[in-house]
């Protein structure tokens, strides 16, 4: 049995993977983490020196000992029961977080895409990503992170083509989200009005004149790449409007796939959504890797079998775990 960890508002990609698992003859269970405190009954005990965990809902029962692989798709905040006294909400949710982690810990000896601790460590440290990418020979943009306007202005002066600004993390749950802050290119007026940085540090990078942007999905050594021409979007492809299909299939050169494969191995990630730029001089520039990045648009628009590949890799490792 393969466990798929996500949340109740997730759609499309989760269905692709679960359907693929079913078609390949493997049972899967969906765990909506946000509903853990309202829809799941829990029972944990120790049998023969090992912790056994069982989660039960009206429709299913999950026994930790039955799970042979885990797809860690998404994690989200827990919801509290509607009739819960607000004075106890923080305490109760803290307890449920503990029991959720105990459940995850009971699966530490099975295969994960991705291991949760590694996933969080890599996703929460983009500077480390850039260091690793640079050290294996990838080009990276000049970068600084901070909340000091004067430092940002000085940094911007060192970037002849200008500066972009973006958040370190994401605001949204899914690829259909309306709430997010896109990457923006700073104007001179923006640089004169940076007082709000005191509320939230941001990532600042040199602006790169590009031919196109690339979203590259990596699944256990396999690459699926899509490109967007620079004429179709300005700075951030996520805010493209009125374009039916902006994505085109793209074949990465072997030199780049070899370096990206080494980078993902160094980061210990079997899965990731990698963002790169190819600049006007033809150089490939690494921007970041999102361990939980979206890929549904590439499968939907380009016909890539990303979800099916994820399912195959999960089954391959699950069978090894059963031996």
């Amino acid at each position: 049995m393969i466990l798929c960890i996500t949340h109740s508002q997730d759609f499309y990609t989760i269905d692709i993977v679960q359907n693929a698992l079913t078609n390949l003859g493997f049972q899967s269970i969906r765990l909506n983490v946000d509903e853990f405190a309202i829809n799941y009954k829990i029972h944990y005990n120790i049998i023969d020196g090992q912790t056994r965990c069982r989660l039960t809902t009206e429709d299913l029962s999950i026994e930790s000992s039955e799970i042979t692989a885990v797809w860690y798709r998404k994690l989200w905040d827990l919801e509290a029961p509607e009739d819960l006294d607000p004075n106890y909400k923080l305490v109760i949710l803290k307890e449920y977080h503990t029991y959720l982690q105990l459940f995850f810990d009971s699966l530490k000896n099975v295969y994960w895409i991705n291991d949760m601790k590694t996933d969080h460590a890599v996703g929460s440290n983009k500077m480390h990503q850039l260091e690793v990418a640079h050290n294996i020979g990838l080009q990276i943009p000049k970068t600084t992170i901070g909340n000091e306007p004067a430092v940002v202005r000085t940094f911007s002066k060192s970037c002849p083509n200008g500066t972009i600004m973006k958040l370190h993390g994401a605001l949204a749950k899914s690829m259909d989200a309306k709430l997010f802050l896109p990457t923006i290119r700073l104007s001179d007026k923006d640089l004169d009005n940076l007082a709000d940085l005191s509320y939230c540090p941001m990532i600042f990078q040199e602006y790169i004149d590009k031919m196109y942007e690339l979203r590259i999905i990596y699944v256990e050594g396999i690459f699926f790449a899509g490109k967007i021409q620079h004429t179709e979007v300005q700075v951030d492809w996520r805010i493209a409007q009125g374009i039916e299909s902006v994505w085109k299939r793209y074949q990465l050169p072997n030199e780049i796939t070899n370096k990206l494969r080494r980078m993902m191995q160094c980061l210990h990630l079997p899965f990731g959504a990698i963002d790169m730029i190819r600049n006007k001089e033809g150089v490939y520039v690494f921007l970041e890797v999102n361990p939980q990045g979206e890929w549904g648009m590439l499968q939907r628009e380009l016909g890539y079998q990303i979800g099916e590949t994820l399912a195959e890799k999960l089954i391959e490792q699950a069978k090894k775990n059963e031996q």
Side-chain angles (χ1 to χ4, degrees):
M1 181 186 296
I2 293 174
L3 177 66
C4 301
I5 301 172
T6 186
H7 58 86
S8 60
Q9 301 304 307
D10 197 12
F11 68 101
Y12 189 64
T13 51
I14 179 74
D15 296 329
I16 291 173
V17 173
Q18 286 199 280
N19 288 337
L21 290 169
T22 299
N23 292 337
L24 291 168
F26 247 73
Q27 183 181 1
S28 67
I29 296 292
R30 173 173 176 162
L31 170 60
N32 291 326
V33 174
D34 54 325
E35 298 177 342
F36 186 72
I38 57 177
N39 286 342
Y40 291 85
K41 299 184 186 306
I42 63 176
H43 181 77
Y44 301 168
N45 57 18
I46 297 177
I47 300 176
D48 297 329
Q50 289 189 327
T51 300
R52 298 291 180 86
C53 305
R54 185 174 71 247
L55 305 182
T56 306
T57 69
E58 293 181 357
D59 304 317
L60 58 87
S61 178
I62 307 173
E63 186 79 38
S64 60
S65 60
E66 299 173 328
I67 296 169
T68 51
V70 179
W71 178 34
Y72 174 34
R73 156 73 177 152
K74 292 285 184 182
L75 198 64
W76 210 249
D77 293 336
L78 273 61
E79 296 179 8
E82 291 183 1
D83 57 352
L84 181 65
D85 185 331
N87 293 318
Y88 294 97
K89 180 177 178 180
L90 290 178
V91 174
I92 298 301
L93 288 182
K94 183 179 178 181
E95 289 295 295
Y96 269 105
H97 273 291
T98 297
Y99 296 130
L100 180 63
Q101 190 57 55
L102 287 175
F103 179 66
F104 292 153
D105 288 346
S106 72
L107 304 172
K108 62 186 177 183
N109 293 324
V110 304
Y111 176 76
W112 286 62
I113 294 180
N114 293 313
D115 173 76
M116 188 173 287
K117 291 180 180 178
T118 302
D119 186 296
H120 293 176
V122 174
S124 63
N125 194 340
K126 287 190 168 61
M127 296 301 273
H128 176 60
Q129 294 180 20
L130 291 169
E131 287 177 2
V132 172
H134 173 75
N135 289 337
I136 59 98
L138 287 167
Q139 184 81 18
I140 63 172
K142 187 183 298 185
T143 304
T144 190
I145 298 177
N147 63 353
E148 298 180 77
V151 173
V152 173
R153 292 187 191 103
T154 300
F155 172 80
S156 185
K157 289 178 182 177
S158 70
C159 303
N161 293 324
T163 309
I164 62 98
M165 178 180 76
K166 62 183 181 182
L167 283 173
H168 192 288
L171 296 176
K173 295 183 182 182
S174 69
M175 69 179 188
D176 194 39
K178 302 298 188 294
L179 178 63
F180 72 95
L181 181 65
T183 300
I184 62 172
R185 188 176 184 180
L186 298 178
S187 66
D188 291 340
K189 184 178 179 181
D190 294 327
L191 290 167
D192 289 335
N193 294 279
L194 294 174
D196 289 347
L197 271 183
S198 60
Y199 295 107
C200 181
M202 301 287 284
I203 296 176
F204 298 89
Q205 292 180 322
E206 62 175 322
Y207 176 79
I208 299 170
D209 284 328
K210 53 200 170 189
M211 286 194 285
Y212 40 77
E213 294 180 78
L214 298 168
R215 167 56 62 101
I216 304 158
I217 304 303
Y218 173 89
V219 186
E220 283 280 24
I222 300 173
F223 293 92
F224 304 89
K227 76 169 184 177
I228 298 180
Q229 289 294 143
H230 180 52
T231 54
E232 294 173 344
V233 294
Q234 291 305 306
V235 178
D236 194 325
W237 56 262
R238 294 171 296 174
I239 56 174
Q241 299 292 329
I243 302 173
E244 241 177 72
S245 179
V246 298
W247 294 100
K248 293 181 175 62
R249 285 195 176 215
Y250 191 78
Q251 183 65 49
L252 291 163
N254 289 336
E255 179 188 0
I256 297 300
T257 58
N258 290 338
K259 289 179 179 179
L260 289 176
R261 189 176 289 109
R262 291 208 306 276
M263 181 191 76
M264 296 299 283
Q265 291 169 347
C266 288
L267 295 172
H268 304 289
L269 292 177
F271 172 87
I274 301 165
D275 287 332
M276 297 189 76
I277 285 173
R278 193 175 188 197
N279 69 18
K280 292 289 182 64
E281 287 73 43
V283 177
Y284 291 87
V285 182
F286 170 83
L287 300 180
E288 62 181 270
V289 54
N290 185 342
Q292 297 179 19
E294 296 298 340
W295 49 267
M297 64 286 191
L298 296 188
Q299 175 133 1
R300 181 180 59 206
E301 298 187 25
L302 302 179
Y304 282 138
Q305 299 290 288
I306 301 170
E308 290 79 2
T309 303
L310 276 164
E312 290 169 1
K313 295 298 183 181
L314 286 163
I315 290 174
E316 180 182 312
Q317 295 297 327
K319 287 181 177 178
K320 290 180 181 179
N321 193 63
E322 290 175 342
Q323 294 174 354

